[in-house]
Amino acid sequence: MDNFDIEALVWIGIGFAGQALFMMRFVIQWWSSEKAKRVVIPVAFWYFSLAGSLVLVVYAIHRKDPVFIFGQALPLVIYLRNLHLHYKSKGRSAAS
């Protein structure tokens, strides 16, 4: 196996890892909702969203795919903002 094949396999692995991280957010959300018997979005959902998108952006940049880059990079701002709001509200509830 030459270097190109190994490099291609590594990048495919990175792409699949990003997809797996992104998919895990739904598994976590589903599992949490089933346990609570109501719709729940745990903070882990946002961490998996962030991690999955970051890895997929790196993969998309490597592939030089502007549609994929845009589709994964823009939501990063939303995931970061949701985590910020989560921790900001935790600080408020602890203070009250």
Side-chain angles (χ1 to χ4, degrees), residues 55-82:
V55 173
L56 288 172
V57 165
V58 169
Y59 179 73
I61 290 169
H62 170 74
R63 302 273 312 199
K64 298 180 179 110
D65 184 333
V67 174
F68 196 13
I69 293 167
F70 182 77
Q72 290 298 322
L74 189 59
L76 286 172
V77 175
I78 297 166
Y79 305 146
L80 287 168
R81 177 70 175 151
N82 285 336

Side-chain angles (χ1 to χ4, degrees), residues 24-25 28-29 32 41-50 83:
M24 282 304 299
R25 70 194 199 131
I28 294 291
Q29 190 275 325
S32 298
I41 299 179
V43 71
F45 178 91
W46 301 114
Y47 280 111
F48 275 105
S49 298
L50 186 64
L83 284 168

Side-chain angles (χ1 to χ4, degrees), residues 16-27:
F16 274 117
Q19 288 290 23
L21 286 168
F22 205 71
M23 183 199 69
M24 282 304 299
R25 70 194 199 131
F26 293 112
V27 172

